Amino acid sequence: MIVQACINGARPRDFHPRLPLDAQAMASDAAACVAAGAAELHIHPRGIDGRESLAAVNATVLAVRQVCPGTLIGVSTGAWIENDVERTRAAIAAWRELPDYASVNLSEADAPGVMELLRQRSVGIEAGLATTADAERFVGLADHAQVLRILIEIDIQDLSAALDEAHGIAAVLERAGVRRPILLHGVDATVWPFVALAHRKRWSTRVGLEDGKTLADGKTAKDNAAIVAAAVAIFRAVPTG
């Protein structure tokens, strides 16, 4: 069970005043999150124009690794970043400063190809499952056991429906006999209910400005480190249920 910090995602500049948008800001923010108890980091590198970029992975991972030695660093490979299959693959193939792992969304058409490329580069894979259809696709892959972990990542804002989807994904994995670590997270309205559920299930979770800017009491958090500290406090309690 770990708490991973997701420090920026695809959020726009005006989402929060402490949203880190360049390599040095991400490095500083990452160090603060690790000091607050984050075990790992999930980052969306940005180019000099502030837009997400797979080409910016080298500079960002290097900057973060210098201030967070020994902490696992992950990045997104979301298809929307380069918006082209061949550009996505070329960017990953050109990485020199390799992240420890990368997230791959099973809802995306080229997910199996991206996963194979990451394996060739010895980069761990977080398999992102947002729906039961994603889960069914994942367990149908011949090499589905060769992933670092499973992300059950639900962006449905109705809590009841979101919980149903999360439990449905878990059921698909259970029926298929998948025995990989699970990290569960929600977005915005479901962030803290899913932190609590992950704690009860003894799964990992993630928090940070990528997923939401409020604390469990609904107040806007000062920064990513404050969000991480709140989640770590929950995870340090003895799980019940």
Side-chain angles (χ1 to χ4, degrees):
M1 293 171 58
I2 65 162
V3 173
Q4 182 188 89
C6 53
I7 64 175
N8 57 357
R11 298 290 190 177
R13 184 178 298 273
D14 62 357
F15 179 70
H16 190 281
R18 298 294 297 274
L19 185 74
L21 295 175
D22 61 55
Q24 290 307 314
M26 293 179 207
S28 177
D29 200 272
C33 287
V34 171
E40 295 182 10
L41 301 160
H42 173 78
I43 299 171
H44 288 229
R46 308 278 183 117
I48 58 173
D49 59 359
R51 298 176 62 182
E52 292 180 85
S53 168
L54 293 182
V57 165
N58 291 321
T60 302
V61 171
L62 178 61
V64 174
R65 193 160 276 148
Q66 287 175 337
V67 297
C68 300
T71 300
L72 295 184
I73 302 168
V75 301
S76 173
T77 62
W80 68 86
I81 297 174
E82 300 298 334
N83 203 31
D84 178 88
V85 168
E86 294 308 318
R87 282 202 301 269
T88 296
R89 291 190 180 198
I92 294 171
W95 287 348
R96 300 182 306 279
E97 191 69 31
L98 294 175
D100 297 289
Y101 56 86
S103 302
V104 182
N105 302 312
L106 267 292
S107 61
E108 296 172 355
D110 197 39
V114 171
M115 292 168 73
E116 178 55 31
L117 179 55
L118 291 170
R119 290 190 186 97
Q120 291 172 8
R121 305 228 59 201
S122 299
V123 176
I125 297 166
E126 289 185 319
L129 312 180
T131 66
T132 54
D134 292 348
E136 294 287 3
R137 184 187 190 198
F138 172 72
V139 301
L141 298 177
D143 49 8
H144 69 262
Q146 298 176 37
V147 299
L148 174 67
R149 68 169 64 94
I150 309 295
L151 303 184
I152 300 180
E153 42 188 0
I154 310 297
D155 61 6
I156 300 168
Q157 291 301 284
D158 178 79
L159 181 57
S160 177
L163 289 169
D164 285 347
E165 197 69 45
H167 291 312
I169 291 170
V172 171
L173 298 174
E174 181 67 26
R175 286 196 299 271
V178 174
R179 294 292 182 267
R180 302 307 302 148
I182 291 175
L183 187 155
L184 171 71
H185 74 93
V187 176
D188 294 326
T190 62
V191 167
W192 295 104
F194 274 31
V195 168
L197 177 60
H199 179 245
R200 292 195 301 273
K201 290 281 193 179
R202 296 173 172 79
W203 294 340
S204 294
T205 195
R206 78 178 202 190
V207 292
L209 292 174
E210 173 172 353
D211 289 345
K213 61 184 177 182
T214 62
L215 299 173
D217 62 6
K219 294 179 181 177
T220 298
K222 174 185 175 183
D223 54 20
N224 273 310
I227 302 172
V228 167
V232 169
I234 292 171
F235 262 49
R236 284 177 177 163
V238 177
T240 60

